[in-house]
Amino acid sequence: MATVVQIQSVSHTKENIETIKRTLASVANAIRVAREFYGLQLDVVFVYGDANEIPSFTNSDIELLKMSGAKELSFDYRILDRKTGFARGHNTLFSTAESRFIMTINPGMILSPDFFEHILNMFEESQTAIVEARKTPIETGKIYDPDSLETDYASMDCAVISSAVFEEMGGLDESFYCSDYDVDFSLRAKMSEYRVKYQPLSMVYCPAELSPNGKLVCTNEDRYYTALDDMLLAYKWASTRIVNSILRRFALSANKEEQRAAVDFKRMKSENRLPARSSVKSSPSRFKNGLYCKQRFKWPVEMRSMEA
Amino acid sequence: MQEHNPNTASILELLSDNQELLTSGTQSGEYFRWIWRICHDYTENPYQEEYIDNINEERSYSGKRPFLTIVMRTQGKRLSQLREALLCLWSQTNRDFELIIVGHKVADENRDVIQRVIQEQESAFRERIRYYEIDYGTRSAPLNYGFSHARGRYIANCDDDDTVTQDWVNELYERSLTAKNCLLHVYTVTQAWSEVDVNGAKAVRADDIPRPRYCRPFSQTIQLHQNLCPFFSIAFPAFLFNKLNIWFDEELDTTEDWDYIMRTSLLVGVSDIEKTPLVYRLWSNTDSSHTVNDEKAWNVFKVMIKNKHDTYPVLLKEGKSADIRAFYSDPIGYAKRINRQEKMIAGNNGYAELLRYIVKTMFNENSITYRICAGIYNSLFRKRGY
């Protein structure tokens, strides 16, 4: 019997059709390899959620996209509400899923041909909730156990999730906009005794830009939302002392985006728009040294404004 | 009226009218004689007939020629790394390239593995891949073999454990439009990596922050002393290999890249692209050319390379005489300055590392004390590039 997977991608920026065609072609090839080389039977639907102000693709573009992975997968294009965050976007796409697994992937990523063989095997252990793939060429420095492959949280930039667990957890917390919803999901899954894992053998190419001195380039907009989501995550999972410490750090930061995030966080708090807090005592989150999980290292980041 | 920007033809005409410049024994005469020798002599090589046959075979190829030929050496021993290298190549925004994989002294059990990894690729990628195998020679031999089969206008090496970002080929392509016929050089970060055993299979893991050791412009003078260009940071115009017959020295089992970069850069120069699309991985627990060849062998090859540097004239870029002046006027000061720059780029200043370690160990990052110390640390070291 075929394993059914719904792959879902949420986009906030206007994507080039060639970029999405390449993603689809790599998914189609990974499905072919899973069938021909590993004997896996996969039934895959790729759902693309477009949350742009003006839809990225025309009807003829969508027909071209449908043909990109024609033999191996079906393609579904959905318009989401403008400015829908990633968390709400994925929840919306999941609401119509009928698959055993869902897989999240950011637009523009390219799957390694042997991707499915390694990552789907991880679900043979019934308590596995989510498995994150390894990004290349920039691997994050978070720690994982090489034997059990368990880790503190799984990034949903590219991950496979058990649909049953996703539903049981009530999906993603829509308080988060573009990051940390995956950390929050992992923490909730762990509290329900599920396993959160990392599979270094399943690779996905994640587009990245390095500055001339080798730092990871990140836009001001990314920095704003990441800082805001970091504070929301701390508010939900960490002690008041840690929340205040992070808030103070952003408020006093030399970076204007972090300052703006701190101001907006205070406003959300005064308007009672923050997520409900978890019981800190039973929280599996760590929040040591300002980070929510142990890291082997952290790539240095360089900010770049959108105009640049 | 005097022409200030003469073209090559007018220079040659001028030289023929002033043959004193070409007299044997003059500096310019020797330089042109060196170029003449390069253009007319084959490198002494026991396999030269095979390489020439390959070059002629590819010369007669009538299909569409790509911008770039990427040559990849492999022994099929690093399966996970090979898959990753291919994934990075196929993720290029500019796919105007072909990939020549040269299996070198491949063990029987690894041959099928390499073929299978190629078969796993998308059909559009497979069409761009050619696989050859040779079972002779040093690490230079598969390079000569791969380069001799190139159809692209430029050739770059990418080993089976190298990783690149999506813009690598495009950065080279864009620059090739304006900097014609010279070597193209991009910046590279280094990063410590190791192999990890994952339920019986081998995976790889990044172990440390990246270091911008090779994020710097190409310097011919420093290159005379040490190689600061990872091999895949350079793309070579194909004519250097298949028209001028400048081949890799097959006596070298390591540092073959340094030798080749020097011989070609002295002839056609280098154009720097101030972008960093490459991650050069330094393996802590698996084979690389650094671990396969012991320190003694490395030093022998380094001496060989430096001796080779003395056998040809060196033409430096304008402005580089300042380096030489600085060295002769104050050798100790010059050495200190270079050493300081090295440390700033490598980010391995001992005091900075020690201070960072003490502060991190003693204080919580959220504490006021930590932030004060971090401020002092940043003002002392970070702004200076540590």
Side-chain angles (χ1 to χ4, degrees), chain A residues 22 134 136 139 205 289 296, chain B residues 84 92 166 206 365-366:
Chain A
R22 287 177 176 206
R134 178 165 75 83
T136 186
E139 189 189 24
Y205 183 87
N289 297 328
R296 302 192 299 277
Chain B
E84 190 166 5
Q92 293 299 300
Q166 70 279 2
E365 199 182 48
N366 297 313

Side-chain angles (χ1 to χ4, degrees), chain B residues 99-362:
Chain B
L99 173 63
I100 293 176
I101 301 177
V102 186
H104 187 218
K105 297 178 179 173
V106 178
D108 288 341
E109 64 270 23
N110 294 333
R111 184 167 296 115
D112 291 345
V113 171
I114 297 171
Q115 292 284 7
R116 176 170 163 156
V117 170
I118 294 170
Q119 288 309 312
E120 286 177 2
Q121 305 305 313
E122 285 178 44
S123 59
F125 191 18
R126 285 202 306 274
E127 288 164 10
R128 290 170 162 83
I129 300 175
R130 282 181 284 154
Y131 177 67
Y132 300 101
E133 249 184 58
I134 61 169
D135 59 4
Y136 60 81
T138 60
R139 283 167 46 81
S140 301
L143 289 172
N144 278 332
Y145 197 90
F147 274 50
S148 71
H149 271 296
R151 293 170 184 162
R153 282 192 286 122
Y154 277 81
I155 311 173
N157 178 76
C158 177
D159 279 337
D160 65 357
D161 61 339
D162 288 335
T163 54
V164 299
T165 68
Q166 70 279 2
D167 294 324
W168 176 48
V169 174
N170 201 47
E171 295 294 354
L172 296 175
Y173 174 76
E174 293 286 337
R175 180 55 60 90
S176 76
L177 300 176
T178 51
K180 285 177 181 160
N181 295 337
C182 61
L183 269 57
L184 307 177
H185 170 238
V186 292
Y187 291 2
T188 310
V189 290
T190 60
Q191 193 177 27
W193 281 69
S194 58
E195 265 188 0
V196 282
D197 186 77
V198 174
N199 302 324
K202 280 181 180 169
V204 294
R205 181 175 69 187
D207 290 329
D208 199 2
I209 57 167
R211 309 279 177 177
R213 178 164 168 70
Y214 301 119
C215 294
R216 59 165 88 203
F218 182 89
S219 166
Q220 197 85 70
T221 41
I222 292 177
Q223 279 293 120
L224 286 169
H225 172 62
Q226 61 176 319
N227 183 22
L228 292 179
C229 295
F231 198 14
F232 67 153
S233 71
I234 300 273
F236 303 88
F239 76 89
L240 291 169
F241 189 94
N242 56 29
K243 281 191 181 161
L244 300 188
N245 305 311
I246 304 177
W247 296 348
F248 292 87
D249 182 344
E250 295 199 19
E251 284 186 20
L252 300 172
D253 203 20
T254 186
T255 61
E256 72 283 0
D257 49 347
W258 184 16
D259 172 53
Y260 196 73
I261 290 168
M262 287 306 286
R263 283 190 285 135
T264 51
S265 64
L266 285 168
L267 194 62
V268 295
V270 178
S271 178
D272 283 309
I273 304 169
E274 292 181 359
K275 296 283 175 69
T276 310
L278 310 177
V279 181
Y280 182 51
R281 303 197 281 187
L282 304 171
W283 299 99
S284 60
N285 63 351
T286 183
D287 284 353
S288 68
S289 61
H290 289 265
T291 54
V292 168
N293 296 289
D294 63 29
E295 192 65 27
K296 203 174 167 186
W298 267 87
N299 288 333
V300 168
F301 287 124
K302 276 183 187 172
V303 171
M304 279 175 72
I305 300 281
K306 286 178 182 175
N307 287 341
K308 283 183 84 174
H309 292 167
D310 292 334
T311 63
Y312 37 74
V314 172
L315 183 66
L316 295 176
K317 243 181 155 179
E318 61 270 29
K320 287 297 169 189
S321 54
D323 280 355
I324 297 167
R325 265 199 313 276
F327 176 74
Y328 277 108
S329 61
D330 178 15
I332 296 170
Y334 180 80
K336 278 183 179 170
R337 183 156 58 84
I338 293 292
N339 197 28
R340 203 162 50 237
Q341 285 173 2
E342 278 287 298
K343 283 178 176 171
M344 283 173 72
I345 289 170
N348 60 355
N349 180 287
Y351 294 117
E353 289 296 321
L354 183 63
L355 180 58
R356 181 157 45 195
Y357 176 76
I358 291 170
V359 170
K360 272 200 152 181
T361 311
M362 288 179 68

